Amino acid sequence: MTDTLTIRRPDDWHLHLRDGEMLKGVLPETARDFARAIIMPNLVPPIVTAAEAAAYRDRILAALPEGMDFQPLMTLYLTESTDPQDVAAAHADGLITAVKLYPAGATTNSASGVRDLDNIQKVLEKMAEIGCPLCIHGEVTTDTVDIFDREAVFIETVLDPLRRRLPELRVVSEHITTKNGVDYVKSANRNLAATITTHHLMINRNHILVGGIKPHYYCLPVAKREVHRLALRVAATSGDSRFFLGTDSAPHTDPNKESACGCAGVFSATNTMACLAHVFEQEGALDQLEGFTSLHGPAYYGLPVNVGTLTLKKHTHPIKFPARIETGEGPVTVFDPGLDIYWSVE
Ligand code: NCD
Ligand code: ZN
């Protein structure tokens, strides 16, 4: 039996760190295990200019506890008034790693997102020209489209036409939650990859709704039927380099989650690597974990892999992860995988 597994230090290709006291509270949970992360720009107000990204990066580095080694990979929040030259300069300086597209109204703090892709054509063309990846929250926001269908409809009506119009644009389809998403990524032989979260490999929509409503499993895109979860597990554990980890760890305080109108977001930074070891072991694919967490992402982004390593250990007893962490803004509940996990990070 494998009881320890040493892999290259992982990266998180989709992470929400917030700002202020929340940033201070959650950053060590990621920096403990991960060397780098793509930092989501959906603050209030969002990070839309290079200057704002530089200031936010400095606040993240200032919040990093002494002795921890972590590099935030910054992104800009794309709006209909984003200046292509500002994006190009920030990318050339290494200040930003990618640009994030939120359809307006798709999720938490996305009110300034894009309403009409025609209005961002110039900036997308510039990004294609300079090789700056576009990270996409792939859900339509049309009222008449069922929330469980929003990803599949987005692929057909927005993503595929966009990629046909601009085949040189490097796209990351973020936090895919459907078999449709898996199949679409597999159908592309260049310039398309996808991130998958830890929680979407472990829960389906029943976890949210059966036996009482469970707000801590509610995130966007919302977890789908079991058939979709199984397709995500096959993709993540297959060794296909087009799929890699983006936890979408997204902290909200417990009062904001446990509310008549609870916020979307699962906070999984604390136990993500242990949960993933469990998933990959269940799939008989522990040998593919390193690719998913540490190799495929850097390859797609054209970055070096990390020099350091991370060791996971399998115990004979289940590991007790904290139910919540305390932050200066209030308690934040940690993702509960709903089953015993025997793995921990050494
Ligand atoms: C994210 C958040 O809270 O910022 N929420 C979520 O459910 N994933 C926003 C997002 O990435 O959709
Ligand atoms: Zn997110």
Side-chain angles (χ1 to χ4, degrees):
M1 190 192 80
T2 314
D3 60 3
T4 67
L5 177 67
T6 297
I7 59 174
R8 293 251 182 196
R9 202 158 163 230
D11 300 305
D12 185 348
W13 299 96
H14 181 128
L15 176 67
H16 298 269
L17 286 177
R18 317 298 189 204
D19 214 340
E21 288 302 311
M22 183 62 89
L23 166 63
K24 270 192 214 144
V26 300
L27 178 58
E29 301 299 299
T30 286
R32 203 173 288 136
D33 293 347
F34 293 89
R36 299 172 291 199
I38 287 274
I39 308 301
M40 287 298 122
N42 64 330
L43 304 185
V44 189
I47 302 296
V48 294
T49 65
E52 287 161 359
Y56 185 31
R57 178 200 55 200
D58 293 348
R59 294 198 297 280
I60 294 169
L61 292 174
L64 190 65
E66 191 74 42
M68 277 190 153
D69 168 26
F70 174 75
Q71 186 189 2
L73 303 173
M74 307 309 292
T75 60
L76 293 182
Y77 186 116
L78 189 52
T79 71
E80 294 187 4
S81 36
T82 296
D83 173 7
Q85 291 314 326
D86 188 52
V87 171
H91 188 254
D93 286 352
L95 172 60
I96 62 159
T97 303
V99 170
K100 173 72 188 238
L101 168 62
Y102 285 106
T107 186
T108 315
N109 307 334
S110 64
S112 347
V114 172
R115 270 159 232 285
D116 185 348
L117 285 198
D118 287 346
N119 296 334
I120 55 166
Q121 181 66 14
K122 286 269 170 308
V123 65
L124 296 182
E125 283 168 8
K126 178 53 88 182
M127 289 169 59
E129 179 194 320
I130 63 178
C132 177
L134 179 69
C135 296
I136 301 185
H137 182 113
E139 290 190 287
V140 294
T141 54
T142 328
D143 278 348
T144 49
V145 177
D146 189 277
I147 193 164
F148 291 100
D149 298 333
R150 288 180 174 195
E151 180 172 301
V153 173
F154 184 89
I155 293 168
E156 269 176 45
T157 63
V158 183
L159 182 56
D160 190 57
L162 165 69
R163 292 189 53 255
R164 284 175 197 276
R165 220 164 44 240
L166 253 182
E168 296 310 315
L169 182 65
R170 289 180 73 66
V171 172
V172 181
S173 192
E174 298 200 282
H175 43 49
I176 57 169
T177 57
T178 57
K179 180 172 185 310
N180 313 60
V182 168
D183 291 343
Y184 184 66
V185 170
K186 282 172 43 183
S187 76
N189 50 23
R190 62 197 280 266
N191 290 343
L192 182 63
T195 58
I196 301 178
T197 75
T198 306
H199 52 281
H200 288 119
L201 295 172
M202 301 192 85
I203 65 163
N204 63 31
R205 63 194 199 178
N206 281 12
H207 288 78
I208 311 170
L209 295 170
V210 172
I213 191 158
K214 313 288 192 326
H216 294 290
Y217 289 137
Y218 173 61
C219 70
L220 289 170
V222 69
K224 310 295 192 299
R225 288 175 180 276
E226 179 66 354
V227 61
H228 297 291
R229 184 183 76 101
L230 295 178
L232 295 171
R233 284 172 74 107
V234 171
T237 59
S238 65
D240 185 329
S241 65
R242 289 170 292 191
F243 300 100
F244 44 86
L245 175 64
T247 66
D248 197 12
S249 183
H252 294 277
T253 62
D254 285 351
N256 284 331
K257 292 287 295 175
E258 298 165 7
S259 140
C261 184
C263 295
V266 167
F267 177 70
S268 63
T270 306
N271 56 0
T272 271
M273 288 307 299
C275 288
L276 288 173
H278 179 90
V279 167
F280 277 67
E281 184 184 37
Q282 278 186 323
E283 298 292 325
L286 272 176
D287 58 331
Q288 303 294 350
L289 180 63
E290 182 179 45
F292 183 68
T293 62
S294 317
L295 306 179
H296 302 165
Y300 191 73
Y301 275 93
L303 295 170
V305 298
N306 296 313
V307 176
T309 60
L310 176 126
T311 297
L312 288 145
K313 184 169 166 40
K314 187 169 182 190
H315 304 262
T316 51
H317 57 274
I319 304 302
K320 269 218 152 322
F321 294 102
R324 59 191 60 77
I325 63 160
E326 295 302 329
T327 76
E329 279 187 29
V332 173
T333 288
V334 173
F335 173 58
D336 174 4
L339 39 75
D340 286 342
I341 300 287
Y342 291 83
W343 292 88
S344 70
V345 173
E346 287 236 292

